[in-house]
Amino acid sequence: MRPRKERTECDGQDRDFVVALARGLEILRAFRREGEALGNGDFAMRTGLSKSTVSRLTYTLHKLDYLSWNPDTARYQLAPPVLSLGFSCLAGMPLRQIARPYMQELADHTGMPVALASPDRLTMVYLERCRGENAVTLAIEVGAHIKMATTAVGRAYLSVIPPEQRAALFEQLEQHEGAAWPEVRRGIEAAIECYQERGYCMSLTEWKPDVNAVAVALAPRDGSPVMAFNCGGPSQTLTRDWIESDVAPRLAELVRRVSAVTH
C-alpha cells in the first residue's frame, strides 16, 4: 500500500480549518493494531507528514498524555487517556443498547457472533458485538477495524450510501488495493447487486479464506452515519445455503425491528 499523502485539501481554502489539529489527529489515527508501537519514521510513512512535523506532534501528544514513550525502543503507544474519547463516543450511541437484545437473540440462534459497525475511512469499526455459543468464532472485539472492500459489513455500507459518495470511496479504494482492485471491485459490485435484489449482501471466503458473513445496513433518519449489522463465522458451518435460507432473513428482520424502535 502506498503511503498516504499529507492532507492539504483544506489548506488555504477553509479559514476555520485548523491544520495543526488535523495533523495531530492523523498521528493518533496511524495506529492500526491493538498494542502497536510506532516510531516517528512509521508515523511519517503512514501520514505523509514530514519527520520534523511528526516529531513535534508526537512530543506534544506525549506531553498531553495521549501517547506513552518507550526510551528503550524509541517508540510510542496510545496511552490510557485516549480511551476516554472512545468510551464517551460509545456512551452517546443509544442505538447500541437498543440493538443489543436483538443481536444477542440472533447470536443465540446461530451460535455465531453478531456485530454492529460503522465506517472509518476505508475500514469498518466494530461498535457492538454479541457472542454466540459456537466454540469456533471470530475474535473481533468492539473498537476493532476490518476492511470495507472485502467484508460483508463494509459492502452493505457501500450498497446504501449515495452514488457520489460511493464513487469517491471507489477512487480511494482503487489506490489502496492497487493491482488487486479489479477483482475487489467485481466482488463489491456483485454484493451491491445482491443487496438491491435481496436486501442483504455476503462475503464468502473473500475477507478470509475460511470465513463467511452476511450483512444488512441501517441508515438512521436523524442524519447519523450509516451503520451495518453482520453475522459471520467459519465457512464450513455458516454455509451459503444456511445464510440464504435462514440467517439473512433473520438479520434483515433484526434491522427492521431496530429501525422501527429508533425511528
Side-chain angles (χ1 to χ4, degrees):
M1 185 184 79
R2 304 171 192 157
R4 256 183 340 98
K5 295 180 180 179
E6 189 168 334
R7 294 170 66 85
T8 58
E9 61 267 26
C10 293
D11 295 14
Q13 299 179 20
D14 188 343
R15 296 177 61 183
D16 292 327
F17 187 84
V18 182
V19 174
L21 174 60
R23 290 174 175 172
L25 293 174
E26 289 297 309
I27 295 295
L28 296 179
R29 296 179 69 109
F31 292 92
R32 296 173 185 163
R33 296 188 301 273
E34 294 83 351
E36 187 173 38
L38 301 176
N40 283 341
D42 301 314
F43 289 119
M45 182 177 64
R46 292 187 181 185
T47 64
L49 299 170
S50 69
K51 290 185 178 180
S52 60
T53 298
V54 165
S55 180
R56 292 193 300 272
L57 291 170
T58 53
Y59 175 83
T60 302
L61 289 168
H62 172 54
K63 284 294 185 180
L64 293 173
D65 293 327
Y66 288 113
L67 295 179
S68 61
W69 163 254
N70 186 331
D72 294 330
T73 63
R75 290 178 175 271
Y76 292 94
Q77 287 183 290
L78 290 173
V82 175
L83 286 173
S84 63
L85 302 176
F87 280 114
S88 295
C89 175
L90 291 175
M93 293 182 179
L95 177 64
R96 293 174 59 246
Q97 286 72 36
I98 294 171
R100 186 172 181 81
Y102 303 119
M103 294 169 62
Q104 190 61 59
E105 180 182 341
L106 181 57
D108 292 340
H109 173 76
T110 62
M112 307 293 171
V114 177
L116 168 65
S118 69
D120 182 8
R121 293 187 175 170
L122 302 183
T123 66
M124 301 294 290
V125 58
Y126 272 35
L127 304 177
E128 187 59 90
R129 179 178 183 267
C130 292
R131 300 176 183 272
E133 295 181 355
N134 191 310
V136 183
T137 59
L138 303 176
I140 304 176
E141 301 297 340
V142 171
H145 289 72
I146 61 175
K147 294 184 69 173
M148 178 182 292
T150 55
T151 61
V153 73
R155 292 172 171 181
Y157 168 75
L158 289 168
S159 296
V160 302
I161 59 176
E164 61 274 13
Q165 187 178 351
R166 186 188 307 134
L169 279 171
F170 271 24
E171 291 182 4
Q172 297 174 51
L173 287 168
E174 180 177 10
Q175 181 180 10
H176 179 84
E177 297 290 342
W181 173 239
E183 182 179 356
V184 171
R185 178 166 185 161
R186 284 193 294 271
I188 295 173
E189 290 175 340
I192 292 173
E193 183 178 353
C194 177
Y195 199 98
Q196 292 171 344
E197 293 177 355
R198 306 183 185 182
Y200 63 86
C201 64
M202 298 177 288
S203 174
L204 305 176
T205 68
E206 294 169 87
W207 173 51
K208 291 187 176 182
D210 56 349
V211 173
N212 286 347
V214 58
V216 178
L218 172 66
R221 295 179 184 175
D222 62 1
S224 300
V226 172
M227 301 181 187
F229 293 85
N230 79 335
C231 180
S235 55
Q236 67 268 25
T237 305
L238 189 61
T239 62
R240 179 173 192 151
D241 288 344
W242 189 24
I243 289 175
E244 293 179 340
S245 64
D246 183 38
V247 181
R250 288 177 182 271
L251 185 62
E253 177 60 20
L254 180 158
V255 174
R256 282 193 290 271
R257 292 165 73 183
V258 172
S259 180
V261 174
T262 56
H263 294 166

